Amino acid sequence: PYSNFRVGAALLTPDGQIIKGANVENSSYGGTICAERTAIVKAVSEGARSFVALAVNTDVAQPLSPCGICRQVIREFCSLNMPILLVPAGYKAEGSGADLLETTVEELLPYSFGPAALELPRIG
């Protein structure tokens, strides 16, 4: 209710389950959680650990990317080559309306720090 910026996200699991999330705002803005993180937290808390794709939709007429915090959380739980669909308001699969943008985790967060980095050998 604070930003009036609506965002929805949907994670697809390998077995076809769709886990949805929405941004949940808070009057102390730091307590706000984005739709992408809501979907991931719901999925992980319910036992899902593998994902096929993520779609992010806003009420803006152009594709918008997840914020930096969401990109890092997505990186933690999703493969670098997983498709991310950035869906603008008014998108219609039949081809009318705005175009969606398909990208990947790696394209959104190049040179990322992920779980495997914690296993790298250390000096000293």
Side-chain angles (χ1 to χ4, degrees):
Y2 302 102
S3 71
N4 293 312
F5 193 81
R6 298 177 304 206
V7 182
L11 272 169
L12 177 63
T13 65
D15 64 359
Q17 183 181 8
I18 297 173
I19 301 159
K20 298 177 267 185
N23 57 324
V24 180
E25 295 184 327
N26 188 293
S27 60
S28 83
Y29 294 120
T32 294
I33 184 168
C34 301
E36 300 90 330
R37 286 183 286 143
T38 299
I40 289 172
V41 168
K42 282 174 59 178
V44 170
S45 70
E46 294 173 10
R49 295 286 191 284
S50 180
F51 308 104
V52 176
L54 171 67
V56 180
N57 179 245
T58 70
D59 59 359
V60 175
Q62 68 186 48
L64 293 179
S65 177
C67 74
I69 295 170
C70 286
R71 291 177 191 206
Q72 184 62 44
V73 171
I74 293 165
R75 168 64 176 96
E76 182 73 19
F77 293 100
C78 303
S79 70
L80 288 172
N81 63 352
M82 187 187 83
I84 298 179
L85 307 173
L86 305 177
V87 186
Y91 172 76
K92 304 239 184 311
E94 304 84 48
S96 62
D99 291 333
L100 80 104
L101 175 63
E102 184 173 341
T103 187
T104 64
V105 175
E106 188 167 34
E107 289 172 336
L108 286 177
L109 194 62
Y111 308 106
S112 65
F113 180 85
L118 298 174
E119 303 302 320
L120 294 173
R122 292 175 177 73
I123 299 173

